[in-house]
Amino acid sequence: MTASYRWQQGDKVYHFGSLAELMAKATPERSGDALAGVIAESAEQRVIAQMALADVPLKTFLTEAVIPYESDEITRLIIDSHQLAAFAPISHMTVGDFRNWLLSDAADSQALSALRDGLTPEMVAAVSKIMRNQDLILVAKKCHVVSAFRNTIGLPGRLSTRLQPNHPTDSLDGIAATIFDGLMYGNGDAVIGINPATDNVPQTIKLLAMLEEVIQHYQIPTQSCVLTHVTNTIEAIEQGAAVDLVFQSIGGTQGTNDTFGVNLAVLKEAHEAALSLKRGTVGNNVMYFETGQGTALSADAYFGVDQQTCEARAYAVARQFDPLLVNTVVGFIGPEYLFDGKQIIRAGLEDHFCGKLLGLPMGCDICYTNHAYADQNDMDNLLTLLGVAGCTFIMGIPGSDDIMLNYQTTSFHDALYARKALGLKPAPEFESWLAQMEIFSDVDKVRLNQQLAKPFGASIALLSDK
Amino acid sequence: MTASYRWQQGDKVYHFGSLAELMAKATPERSGDALAGVIAESAEQRVIAQMALADVPLKTFLTEAVIPYESDEITRLIIDSHQLAAFAPISHMTVGDFRNWLLSDAADSQALSALRDGLTPEMVAAVSKIMRNQDLILVAKKCHVVSAFRNTIGLPGRLSTRLQPNHPTDSLDGIAATIFDGLMYGNGDAVIGINPATDNVPQTIKLLAMLEEVIQHYQIPTQSCVLTHVTNTIEAIEQGAAVDLVFQSIGGTQGTNDTFGVNLAVLKEAHEAALSLKRGTVGNNVMYFETGQGTALSADAYFGVDQQTCEARAYAVARQFDPLLVNTVVGFIGPEYLFDGKQIIRAGLEDHFCGKLLGLPMGCDICYTNHAYADQNDMDNLLTLLGVAGCTFIMGIPGSDDIMLNYQTTSFHDALYARKALGLKPAPEFESWLAQMEIFSDVDKVRLNQQLAKPFGASIALLSDK
Amino acid sequence: MSKLVSKPQDESVVTESRWQSLKQFTSARIALGRTGTSIPTGELLDFQLDHARAIDAVHRALDVATLNQQLVASHSLSHVITTPPLLVQSKASDRMVYLQRPDLGRQLSEACWQQLCDARAEYHHQEQRQEQHKGQHQGQQEYDLAIVVADGLSSTAIQKHALPVIERLVEKLSGDDAHTWSLAPITIVTQGRVAVGDDVGECLNAKITLIMIGERPGLTSPDSMGIYLTWAPKRGAKDSSRNCISNIRPEGLPYEEAAHKAHYLLSESMKLQLTGIGLKDRSVGLEEEAQLESDATSSFLIG
Amino acid sequence: MSKLVSKPQDESVVTESRWQSLKQFTSARIALGRTGTSIPTGELLDFQLDHARAIDAVHRALDVATLNQQLVASHSLSHVITTPPLLVQSKASDRMVYLQRPDLGRQLSEACWQQLCDARAEYHHQEQRQEQHKGQHQGQQEYDLAIVVADGLSSTAIQKHALPVIERLVEKLSGDDAHTWSLAPITIVTQGRVAVGDDVGECLNAKITLIMIGERPGLTSPDSMGIYLTWAPKRGAKDSSRNCISNIRPEGLPYEEAAHKAHYLLSESMKLQLTGIGLKDRSVGLEEEAQLESDATSSFLIG
Ligand code: B12
Ligand code: B12
């Protein structure tokens, strides 16, 4: 029962076989969609598709699913959780009108919050396809999404960082050294989150214990996470481990999540398990999700849907579990999905916009691999653009180089650049802590202390003595 | 008497034949340098050249000219006008140290101003080559350059616009219609500047008269300019035309300026002629220059010097005449010189940085042609980045489309986007005027009046009646 | 179920510009309206479509055969220029090379350079015989003018506007009382830049080259033609030694006007024995004359 | 005049990190120092050089001949796996295709698929004869394990680490008391992705595929190898049905450790008749055991 779409331009009539096809053809160029064979054949066809898409009534998205309701639990989640009352203010609009409205003065932060539950990922993906980068920035900037656990994430004028102290053998010393480095640069308020090289439960528990010790010892107003498979985290919780946040990579189709070995039920179980620990102090958002365009195609579970729409659908999954953090790992997989700096930048802005509009505390792993056609300058650009757009958090890694995951993301220094250039600050609780620990001499001017912060001096002195 | 340079990396020794060669090889990739045959042969060679360049003492630039003193009046200008006293604070540094210093807290706005006359274009070009985009932004942001004529340009937190009302037949009505449109969007504080399609003196005088009339009638605190050849403007002044600003395109080598039909003497003559008119009210900066990477190569007058270094040398020419505005028309010529969005963005940031560091009121024509591999999204990116970097002014054109010069630059709307997203305001005198004329209902929030501004309503009503 | 998607329903959030009437004066994208301060969806997408199409225009090849045929068939030309057009190429082998290597687009390929020199020698030979026949003799055999037509960045411009402008210009030249113009055969160059006219002029031994070339396509004007004039054309000539007439197309500088200007500049050039900076365009255009009178309307802005 | 440029003179503006001593614990780029809050010039350029080199690593081709020769010559392998390695390619014809078409890197080329099936039939035939000779008979002839080696995104990783890890693993398997492992010949795949091991396992009719593959090169680790295990390999298998051991290289997971883990996972897989989510790695590593004891040092951070 899928409809087909026609568009008349001059004396030519263009056909699109389905809503999914129309959306795919309307998507700005990217390698993943070319790989999937769903991309527009020419720049002209792309614009025609955008014109046709702009004229699709938003209501259509409630009756025409890009992946059938019957066969996909994410479609079911999207449709079943849609709130007609929230949708009311825009229910008469087309996608094109919706763009106009989003950019209008009527769409202020309050109006945008009120709208969240009335939006489906597909509506949001559709409108993003006809928006320029500046539109994506301007609207995202108006969306304020706040979450909290041991500090408050996402307040306007703030930019948080995940401290990512990965080590190829999970050496506790190596990880601790990196955590130290990061803290000295004021990173780590979103989370101190380790990707374990060795992905098992005992390892997870060991790493969690170490993080807990550090956070307790220095009374850092932040949370920890070991980015292992959700089922491992559930086991760890059962074994009494100190779990702050539950991590999981998620995708936008049931099939993708199948290959990730997860589903809504498992996520629910994990969510409840973490909530039961009641470890949050200022809030109780306990989930940390990662997403990224290309996973559905990589898992061969995209059903003709373009990768950006699949990505937006992943946000429906995330939204279901009130996450503290959602992170689009935008250039992580490689050029197979986002070919170069230009495509990575566009995707980063799209993901951030879609996530924010759907009400998620959206961060971005601003990154690239060595097999992609991108470099540090592209990342500087995206970092600055996302900073302007009000991105919730970014990664912080020593010198941009993840020595375990083998890719480059933003460095501890990069985060300070963004704060300085854009006048942004870390989470308020963390900000106070940085001042109190004498890591910064002036948080507003982003000036670090020339001296080694006193409370930490001891550890280093101790070490040098050995 | 040119030196050659060596760099040892591991057990390999790399050679560079001259300072010009070293600088060219150290330049980030761009098509113009490839065309000129001066580009690095590999990514690795480029970094090696950057390493070697980072270790060149700044003093070297005072003794080794990239184009001989004897054969080029711009080299002579650079060397003869260099101020050793201003140079003193950094005279012991290498290029690499200089980058460090620029990014340090020591290099505040004051220190940077004091340094201007101690810098040569080549020093500035050299250091830019080893800076990432974020470095170029951060340092440019610290450089404050203020100029004035009928309003004050370049104050921190401000972004001005040139209203560019071009028309393919110079129709006065067509031009006036565009000026009106632009003013209604709060554009035009940097200058109302027409590129005449017909490039002769009577035409210039006619256009100038019309601009003068409009500015007088509405008491707009701004200046006018007809972007004709400088010799035409001199003639127009002689014939008593109302010349606010003298325009000229300039390049960074004497040979380039030869093909443009100008030299320092002609520019001096024009500068003096314009000064003699004493038309400025709040200041007396009367020159408007345009530059852009690629002109030297296009004129076949680059002498093995890379296009970015040639560009920086053009700023020495501009600096000599205390301009009100300098505009790098960054993607204007086409993909022959800057291939795609990435190269255009990088060049825009470099030019802005170099110009600001040398003390120029640097604006940017953020633009691309239809034969380049770039689009509106690239321009949105560059606009945002330059906005963060504190760019002095940008172009404003109806719907981004210059119907005479055949290229796309920033639209009236784009300027408002930048002001909104970054909290920037137009020149203070113009800001007051916009409020007073009821064009804006709220300048701070960048809200335009829903109603047609009263003083202008009459003209339109009149017209509709006809 | 197939639906023809209809026009947007809710434009209430868009603030229309109240100065729509000004659109009569310019094809610039004025009075677009706004949503907040942004460009409304419809206008944005129109722009994108034009961009997609302008990109295509850059890559469209010149239909040399058709143009050649039209020139040969042109009644007004055939009795002034008797030799058929010369068809040559620059050193740029294809469009991608052309875009990335302007240096190659500025020179004739070796073969074509030779071709033109041979052609010149051949005509020279013929003419000498004619002249001997007529009893005349000139030492340095030169043409006054070589008209060159090159695709440049918009073959569409050339395809549409080259012929009508050449016809009008040649008419003016052949009716010129002040000077009897000797015209070289017309040369059509593919993948050519402005400076390729210098090669042609040098080979054909012409006093002046007048090259008509496709200007880079704009969004609103994918078919704009430029004319560049160079006195004493020679490989390596500088741009400062040329004059330019640009924006030739019905919505820009009309054909008649362009021919008028070209004729003016050519005549001045003959007098002054130069082109470029030293030769200022002091012609008063036909339309401009008209416009000077209508100045009143132009100042609608000042009431 | 030629000068060997010397080290920077003035580093006074750079704030050195006081925790240089921590560098002993990790190869991560910690303690870089700062100028203002930015990365100092030297460190920035070092990074750029590493990046330029990592890009090269992606494009370096696997030297199949040498690897093949080493495998054949390996003393510890030769008496366990008697058949020489099989050399095959994926459907990705070259590196650019490989990068842009992961789908092609996941499948054997048609010809190589056939080649492996033929090889399998051939061995089957030989074995049957041997078995008949020995008087044994099995209905479904299967290997327990197919070891596959693929270049992946870093041929350097494979060139350096594949052989030593295979040697150690095969040693463990042949000394295994719990199970007698029947091993297929080793297969070397060029332009291969992880899933290409499924094709190999399916063709060779193996219970488990173990593929060693070059992980994408990092700045600091351009030579990291990964191992992926798949039970009942078949074209189209899901990643959730695999297990992974990653970061294998001397500075990451050491050879012995990797072989230990692989052996553990293989044994468990045999027991549970699956791989993937259902098979959790509960092995306690050799190094990890050591580390658990040295926990004191690890917490230098907390005094
Ligand atoms: C691109 C361009 C330039 C580029 C040329 C570099 C390049 N490699 O392309 C740059 C930025 C350097 C430039 C500079 C100037 N330009 Co210009 N330029 C253009 C533009 C936008 C497009 C030209 C085009 O498409 N050419 C077709 C391609 C195929 O030619 P090409 O061989 O690749 O490039 C050559 C020509 O573009 C030529 N050229 C470019 N501009 C000019 C100007 C003059 C007077 C001459 C003789 C030649 C010339 O130089 C190039 C290299 O040989 C036109 C506008 C238009 N609609 O055409 C204005 C235009 C031609 N330029 C104009 C002017 C006034 C100038 C300047 C004199 C400005 C100044 N006051 O200094 C300078 C000097 C030019 C010179 N070289 O002597 C005017 C000419 C008006 C007239 N009727 O005489 C135009 C029409 C725009 C305008 N109305 O302002 N220009
Ligand atoms: C790229 C990557 C991904 C991509 C894979 C998509 C793609 N097309 O490449 C994405 C983002 C989807 C991903 C997801 C996950 N990954 Co992963 N991934 C990597 C990474 C960084 C590089 C892999 C590589 O270079 N492969 C080589 C190329 C040539 O292979 P390929 O055929 O092109 O790609 C395949 C493999 O990458 C494989 N794959 C990728 N990750 C994983 C994880 C597991 C457990 C398995 C079995 C397979 C697998 O899937 C791809 C498609 O078939 C490694 C780190 C490293 N240093 O290797 C981690 C790594 C392999 N991933 C890891 C993990 C834990 C996961 C997740 C389980 C995370 C989670 N909690 O949800 C998910 C699920 C993966 C799945 N498909 O089942 C761990 C595995 C730890 C372990 N020893 O088991 C690693 C080592 C990183 C880490 N320490 O956190 N991953």
Side-chain angles (χ1 to χ4, degrees), chain D residues 153-198:
Chain D
L153 286 164
S154 167
S155 65
T156 320
I158 294 305
Q159 211 88 51
K160 286 198 202 165
H161 313 314
L163 179 71
V165 176
I166 294 178
E167 285 182 339
R168 284 170 178 77
L169 174 62
V170 167
E171 199 176 319
K172 284 183 205 299
L173 291 176
S174 53
D176 194 333
D177 296 334
H179 184 77
T180 312
W181 292 86
S182 77
L183 303 182
I186 293 171
T187 311
I188 302 179
V189 191
T190 50
Q191 311 292 17
R193 299 269 174 180
V194 167
V196 84
D198 301 340

Side-chain angles (χ1 to χ4, degrees), chain B residues 195-199 227-230 247-250 259-262 294-295 298 332-333 336-337 404-406, chain C residues 98 102 106 151-153 192-195 213-216 224 226 228-229 239-247 277 281:
Chain B
N195 299 80
T198 314
D199 203 15
L227 285 76
T228 185
H229 196 270
V230 62
F247 167 80
Q248 184 52 42
S249 287
I250 52 172
T259 72
F260 286 179
V262 298
T295 50
S298 157
F332 182 78
I333 313 189
E336 303 89 342
Y337 306 92
M404 194 276 285
L405 291 174
N406 293 349
Chain C
Y98 178 78
R106 291 196 183 121
D151 47 5
L153 286 164
R193 299 270 175 181
V194 168
I213 194 162
E215 295 174 351
R216 61 196 199 186
S224 193
Y228 293 80
L229 293 160
D239 286 324
S240 54
S241 72
R242 311 187 203 286
N243 287 79
C244 164
I245 307 170
S246 92
N247 273 286
I277 302 293
D281 173 10

Side-chain angles (χ1 to χ4, degrees), chain A residues 195-199 227-230 247-250 259-261 295 298 332-333 336-337 404-406, chain D residues 98 102 106 152-153 192-195 213-216 224 228 239-240 242-247:
Chain A
N195 299 80
T198 312
D199 203 16
L227 286 76
T228 185
H229 196 271
V230 62
F247 167 81
Q248 184 52 41
S249 288
I250 52 171
T259 73
F260 285 180
T295 51
S298 157
F332 182 77
I333 312 188
E336 303 88 342
Y337 306 93
M404 195 276 285
L405 291 175
N406 293 349
Chain D
Y98 178 78
R106 291 197 184 120
L153 286 164
R193 299 269 174 180
V194 167
I213 194 161
E215 295 175 350
R216 61 195 199 187
S224 193
Y228 293 80
D239 286 326
S240 54
R242 310 186 204 285
N243 287 81
C244 164
I245 307 169
S246 92
N247 273 286

